[in-house]
Amino acid sequence: MPKINSDTLWDVAAAEVHCRENRIDEEDAEEDAHFLTQRTVFFMGSKAGGKTTILLRFLDRDEAAKPTLALEYTFGRRARGHNTPKDIAHLWELGGGISLSDLVQIPITADNVSSLSVVLALDLSKPNALWETMERLLGSARSQVEKACAVLQKTGESRSGKQRVPRILHKDYPDRELISPFPVPLLIIGSKFDIFQDFDSEKRKVICKTLRFLAHFYGASLIFTSSKSEATMSKSRSFVNQLAFGTERPKSISTDPSKPLAVPAGSDSLSQIGPPVSSEVDIGSLHAKNPLDLWKKVFEKVFPPENTKERKELKDPAKDPQYSETLIDSIRAQKDQELEQYKREQAKSWKSLALDP
């Protein structure tokens, strides 16, 4: 009987382990090919700013956009290959602009924050409301994302296979140490470019440079769109596709203020954007705490924010004129009158009660 030395035994053991590992890797690859991916994309932005139109175009639905009532949900599906389950994109849309920002707690949760992306649509035709809309909505979303992350850390749930939250930019990202990236992937869309392109050239430059700075500061992609331009709507669909299904992100870049901007995240820099220069503002006279504050002060000098005291924010969508329904509103008014009458009668009955001493 041939003698088996220890080296031979080790060789046999190593070969067996290698064989098992290969078999496991093949099984894992087959399992991954049939694994269902689910992502969440949260749309928010200016009131009547074109969010629904962008969403419908992404879903390839040929239907007229209707005003979003508070918060709406839909979904999209996409097959990665033949005989494979379709990936699912959960799509949330917040209506009402900044007035309903408290509702961000519904679509942003600890369950989905690791696969969440945000789309911020800003109405280019209303620049006086642009900065406040951006600031309020991104602030609310960031706060809710941080709360969801805190829950994940407490429960110690594994995030294997999902994106890191808050996300960390790679070491070669331009101006990495000078910016404050949004904690989840962010896409900023400037809508109604068809109206914006008729603005004075100096004002267009201020808006373009400011939005480029904001997108770079938050580590976001930036694109301009118009519902009247198939080319820009197609590009917006490609960017949303990347967030919803992980497809390849468009790489083309456009920074010309006279054309629709297209700036993928990581392709811009502070040196390329330049300082917040405006012929209407003396930057030396401004007192800013940081670069973001400086850009805000310059922008609001050119486009003074709307008077927040005069603007009425409707917390109850039922009182918003854009959601009016003649028949329903008349019935509601009648019921309100009946309720007031009932309350008056009850008040009288209580006053007429003779209480025993």
Side-chain angles (χ1 to χ4, degrees), residues 11 17 77 109 122 160 175 178 182 194 199 223 232 257 260 315 323 327-328:
D11 289 343
V17 170
R77 294 186 295 179
T109 67
L122 298 173
S160 59
D175 310 307
L178 303 174
F182 200 69
D194 53 303
F199 282 15
I223 56 172
T232 62
K315 293 292 184 182
Y323 305 125
L327 180 59
I328 296 176

Side-chain angles (χ1 to χ4, degrees), residues 43 50-60 74 91 93:
F43 291 76
K51 299 181 294 297
T52 304
T53 300
I54 295 168
L55 186 52
L56 291 174
R57 182 68 178 82
F58 163 68
L59 294 171
D60 202 19
T74 187
L91 309 169
E93 181 186 356

Side-chain angles (χ1 to χ4, degrees), residues 109-111 113-114 144-159 163-168 183:
T109 67
D111 293 330
V113 71
S114 296
Q144 183 60 27
V145 167
E146 290 172 350
K147 290 178 182 177
C149 290
V151 172
L152 280 182
Q153 291 175 355
K154 280 186 178 181
T155 57
E157 291 184 11
S158 171
R159 300 187 206 122
Q163 68 189 24
R164 181 189 295 271
V165 180
R167 64 184 177 132
I168 298 176

Side-chain angles (χ1 to χ4, degrees), residues 155-224:
T155 57
E157 291 184 11
S158 171
R159 300 187 206 122
S160 59
K162 298 183 179 181
Q163 68 189 24
R164 181 189 295 271
V165 180
R167 64 184 177 132
I168 298 176
L169 302 179
H170 60 80
K171 63 179 182 180
D172 297 325
Y173 198 95
D175 310 307
R176 185 171 179 264
E177 303 300 325
L178 303 174
I179 61 178
S180 177
F182 200 69
V184 298
L186 174 65
L187 169 62
I188 299 177
I189 299 179
S191 63
K192 302 186 181 181
F193 177 79
D194 53 303
I195 300 175
F196 168 78
Q197 66 182 349
D198 293 329
F199 282 15
D200 174 77
S201 62
E202 281 299 314
K203 291 187 176 181
R204 283 204 313 269
K205 288 180 182 178
V206 172
I207 295 173
C208 287
K209 289 188 69 171
T210 300
L211 287 179
R212 282 179 63 189
F213 169 79
L214 288 172
H216 184 58
F217 185 78
Y218 290 120
S221 293
L222 171 67
I223 56 172
F224 282 5

Side-chain angles (χ1 to χ4, degrees), residues 4-15:
I4 301 177
N5 58 35
S6 59
D7 290 341
T8 304
L9 288 175
W10 278 113
D11 289 343
V12 172

Side-chain angles (χ1 to χ4, degrees), residues 71-331:
L71 183 68
E72 295 187 0
Y73 168 83
T74 187
F75 67 92
R77 294 186 295 179
R78 182 177 185 275
R80 276 182 287 176
H82 185 60
N83 291 332
T84 59
K86 292 184 177 181
D87 292 337
I88 298 176
H90 302 281
L91 309 169
W92 292 88
E93 181 186 356
L94 179 68
I98 61 177
S99 64
L100 300 173
S101 59
D102 291 346
L103 295 180
V104 299
Q105 61 187 303
I106 297 174
I108 302 176
T109 67
D111 293 330
N112 67 18
V113 71
S114 296
S115 59
L116 173 73
S117 298
V118 172
V119 176
L120 176 67
L122 298 173
D123 188 345
L124 296 175
S125 70
K126 299 178 180 177
N128 298 81
L130 190 149
W131 191 284
E132 183 186 16
T133 299
M134 176 279 302
E135 192 172 50
R136 289 276 295 275
L137 290 177
L138 287 187
S140 296
R142 181 189 286 270
S143 176
Q144 183 60 27
V145 167
E146 290 172 350
K147 290 178 182 177
C149 290
V151 172
L152 280 182
Q153 291 175 355
K154 280 186 178 181
T155 57
E157 291 184 11
S158 171
R159 300 187 206 122
S160 59
K162 298 183 179 181
Q163 68 189 24
R164 181 189 295 271
V165 180
R167 64 184 177 132
I168 298 176
L169 302 179
H170 60 80
K171 63 179 182 180
D172 297 325
Y173 198 95
D175 310 307
R176 185 171 179 264
E177 303 300 325
L178 303 174
I179 61 178
S180 177
F182 200 69
V184 298
L186 174 65
L187 169 62
I188 299 177
I189 299 179
S191 63
K192 302 186 181 181
F193 177 79
D194 53 303
I195 300 175
F196 168 78
Q197 66 182 349
D198 293 329
F199 282 15
D200 174 77
S201 62
E202 281 299 314
K203 291 187 176 181
R204 283 204 313 269
K205 288 180 182 178
V206 172
I207 295 173
C208 287
K209 289 188 69 171
T210 300
L211 287 179
R212 282 179 63 189
F213 169 79
L214 288 172
H216 184 58
F217 185 78
Y218 290 120
S221 293
L222 171 67
I223 56 172
F224 282 5
T225 66
S226 167
S227 60
K228 299 179 181 180
S229 167
E230 177 59 28
T232 62
M233 293 303 290
S234 178
K235 184 163 290 187
S236 71
R237 184 185 186 190
S238 298
F239 273 89
V240 175
N241 248 318
Q242 192 269 329
L243 298 179
F245 298 119
T247 58
E248 186 176 359
R249 188 179 62 194
K251 297 178 180 179
S252 61
I253 301 174
S254 174
T255 57
D256 186 346
S258 65
K259 299 177 181 179
L261 296 188
V263 189
S267 61
D268 216 342
S269 68
L270 294 177
S271 60
Q272 289 176 309
I273 298 169
V277 178
S278 171
S279 59
E280 301 180 29
V281 182
D282 177 14
I283 296 182
S285 65
L286 301 177
H287 301 283
K289 296 175 290 186
N290 50 54
L292 182 65
D293 189 41
L294 176 62
W295 280 86
K296 177 181 180 179
K297 289 181 182 299
V298 172
F299 186 82
E300 293 188 341
K301 282 283 186 180
V302 182
F303 301 104
E306 298 174 340
N307 192 324
T308 55
K309 293 182 180 179
E310 294 179 359
R311 187 184 66 238
K312 296 179 180 179
E313 294 182 5
L314 297 171
K315 293 292 184 182
D316 184 359
K319 297 177 182 178
D320 194 323
Q322 73 168 316
Y323 305 125
S324 62
E325 293 282 353
T326 306
L327 180 59
I328 296 176
D329 291 344
S330 62
I331 296 174

